[in-house]
Amino acid sequence: MKKVVILVDQLHSHGGIEKLVSIKANYWSSVFGYSVTIVSTEQNNKPIIYPLNEAVFFEDFAVNYDRAKSYFSFNNLVKFMFNCIKIQLYIFREKPDFIIVASHIPITYVLPFLIKGKTKIIKEFHFTKFFHSSNSLFSKIVNYIEARYDYLVVLSQEEKQFYKSKNAIVIPNPIEESSNFILQDFNKRPNVAVAMVRFAPVKRLEKMISIWQKFIETNSDWKLNIFGSTDSDYAQSLIELVKLKGLENSIFFKGQTSQVLNELNEAKMLLLTSEQECFPMCILEAQKAGVVVFSYDCPTGPRNSIQQDFDGFLIPFDDEKSFVNCMNITVSNPEKMEFISSNATRNAINYSLSEVMNKWNNTIFVKS
């Protein structure tokens, strides 16, 4: 039996990486029959947010980095040394066949130098390197470290070009399967748009609010539901902005949800106004639910998931007028909306769970 270890910082918060880790761990253990263990550094005795199969093991190293301080602070350096010792002892004891670094955690930078023996190490990347300088000293050091991994898993061919070593391979994110998901008739859905986000400035939700304010001038019967935790200062500033603009009866903050597909199944549009995205899961989930996606053409993810004017819409970056016009024209043409919705569901099949998991099995989980 192949033994797979997945390294993360935590599994207690709603998020794309946390969700993907649980999906993969569950599939690899239940379908492939592998022994899968998730090892965290900062679970802090909190409950795991996404359900794991009974066959999946979970262990927290309780390193508990102080995120308010630099990783180079004395306390965090001590914790880092503790982390290194813990992982070495764990590898010596368990002798895993594969170790996957799923989160961007400090151990990323030294793991290739801690591994001895036949264990293969893999690093997943869930962020874009589009904005990273390739000529800085730090980038050269990172490139050297990354070349020491057996595989670097990136999410698209466009992202692959940013990696200097030859060990980068493309495996996209999968769409979660749901046995009780039944696709709603698109024309019977209410006039609802949604945003599935992590509340962070990079998502530029203030731009979305501005777009929505202009859109409802001629489409007052539409509602926008924004899903995500509102416990940050940024989220609170957006709530205040909605009040300031008098949009409380049109924009609703719905909090976190673990029923993403069900919420999308009750909507017609998904909006994305981010500054950057690597491979946004919300687009794939929206397409599975037949939701029409409107997204700024930001680096680099949306353009790798959307075929313009066929299964979604890419709007020139920061062109708010074009964004509003595209929405107005589309919602006034029900046949066009249904055409895009139907094509979106077909595109989502390319990212089915079994399809993507077989790519892992046939490229990564192969013993030499």
Side-chain angles (χ1 to χ4, degrees):
M1 180 188 295
K2 295 176 182 177
K3 299 180 71 172
V4 180
V5 173
I6 306 173
L7 302 183
V8 297
D9 55 352
Q10 50 77 30
L11 282 186
H12 60 68
S13 298
H14 279 281
I17 293 176
E18 292 79 11
K19 186 173 185 178
L20 285 165
V21 166
S22 66
I23 290 172
K24 291 172 184 176
N26 288 338
Y27 196 95
W28 295 340
S29 63
S30 63
V31 179
F32 294 156
Y34 297 162
S35 171
V36 181
T37 302
I38 300 171
V39 175
S40 67
T41 54
E42 296 149 85
Q43 189 66 16
N44 286 308
N45 295 316
K46 296 179 181 179
I48 296 172
I49 196 69
Y50 296 107
L52 297 176
N53 292 340
E54 291 183 0
V56 177
F57 302 98
F58 182 83
E59 182 173 341
D60 182 39
F61 280 176
V63 177
N64 298 329
Y65 290 104
D66 186 346
R67 296 284 179 157
K69 296 182 179 179
S70 164
Y71 281 122
F72 293 100
S73 67
F74 178 77
N75 285 343
N76 277 334
L77 285 175
V78 171
K79 291 175 182 290
F80 177 69
M81 294 302 297
F82 172 69
N83 196 170
C84 291
I85 294 170
K86 288 279 287 187
I87 194 66
Q88 283 183 303
L89 292 174
Y90 181 87
I91 294 168
F92 178 78
R93 182 180 76 245
E94 299 295 335
K95 296 179 175 57
D97 298 299
F98 306 93
I99 296 179
I100 300 168
V101 183
S103 302
H104 194 61
I105 48 182
I107 203 74
T108 298
Y109 297 108
V110 298
L111 188 62
F113 309 100
L114 302 178
I115 301 293
K116 305 295 181 183
K118 297 182 179 180
T119 300
K120 288 187 176 181
I121 52 173
I122 302 98
K123 177 71 180 87
E124 289 186 280
F125 292 87
H126 298 276
F127 60 88
T128 181
K129 280 196 174 185
F130 182 88
F131 297 99
H132 291 205
S133 169
S134 59
N135 297 318
S136 66
L137 176 60
F138 178 73
S139 292
K140 292 177 180 178
I141 294 172
V142 169
N143 290 337
Y144 172 75
I145 294 170
E146 290 175 352
R148 301 292 296 268
Y149 278 85
D150 291 288
Y151 297 105
L152 306 176
V153 176
V154 300
L155 296 171
S156 69
Q157 288 293 337
E158 186 175 10
E159 283 297 322
K160 186 178 179 180
Q161 68 180 321
F162 303 129
Y163 293 82
K164 301 299 183 182
S165 55
K166 296 180 179 179
N167 56 348
I169 61 173
V170 177
I171 303 180
N173 287 333
I175 303 173
E176 185 179 16
E177 294 176 351
S178 176
S179 58
N180 60 0
F181 176 75
I182 301 174
L183 190 65
Q184 280 271 38
D185 185 329
F186 186 80
N187 291 319
K188 293 181 180 178
R189 302 182 191 187
N191 288 341
V192 170
V194 296
M196 299 283 180
V197 298
R198 170 178 57 88
F199 278 87
V202 70
K203 302 299 182 180
R204 304 190 322 153
L205 290 171
E206 63 279 0
K207 302 280 188 180
M208 187 181 298
I209 291 169
S210 178
I211 288 167
W212 191 257
Q213 184 178 27
K214 293 178 175 62
F215 171 72
I216 62 169
E217 288 177 1
T218 52
N219 301 277
S220 59
D221 60 324
W222 279 78
K223 309 296 181 185
L224 172 60
N225 293 333
I226 303 178
F227 291 90
S229 173
T230 56
D231 60 0
S232 66
D233 291 341
Y234 177 65
Q236 292 302 311
S237 72
L238 294 167
I239 293 172
E240 291 302 316
L241 180 61
V242 167
K243 292 178 181 178
L244 182 65
K245 291 178 175 290
L247 298 172
E248 301 100 315
N249 294 323
S250 181
I251 298 177
F252 302 90
F253 294 89
K254 294 290 190 175
Q256 294 180 327
T257 179
S258 57
Q259 302 297 319
V260 173
L261 284 177
N262 290 337
E263 298 293 351
L264 288 166
N265 211 17
E266 298 293 332
K268 287 183 177 178
M269 297 194 298
L270 179 131
L271 309 183
L272 197 64
T273 53
S274 302
E275 179 183 18
Q276 57 179 280
E277 292 280 354
C278 186
F279 200 85
M281 282 292 295
C282 63
I283 291 180
L284 300 183
E285 291 167 329
Q287 290 183 331
K288 180 179 176 65
V291 174
V292 179
V293 178
F294 296 82
S295 173
Y296 273 136
D297 187 17
C298 65
T300 57
R303 66 182 71 128
N304 288 289
S305 306
I306 295 172
Q307 300 174 74
Q308 173 65 3
D309 209 33
F310 181 75
D311 55 24
F313 296 98
L314 294 168
I315 292 93
F317 188 68
D318 258 358
D319 188 341
E320 186 172 296
K321 183 177 180 180
S322 292
F323 205 121
V324 176
N325 286 342
C326 185
M327 291 170 66
N328 281 330
I329 292 170
T330 306
V331 300
S332 66
N333 188 342
E335 290 183 357
K336 179 71 169 181
M337 288 278 282
E338 192 169 6
F339 172 79
I340 298 292
S341 172
S342 179
N343 290 334
T345 58
R346 293 190 185 97
N347 183 56
I349 296 172
N350 296 319
Y351 304 96
S352 68
L353 187 57
S354 58
E355 185 84 12
V356 174
M357 292 302 97
N358 283 332
K359 289 182 180 180
W360 275 90
N361 206 32
N362 296 330
T363 56
I364 302 294
F365 299 138
V366 181
K367 287 186 178 181
S368 58

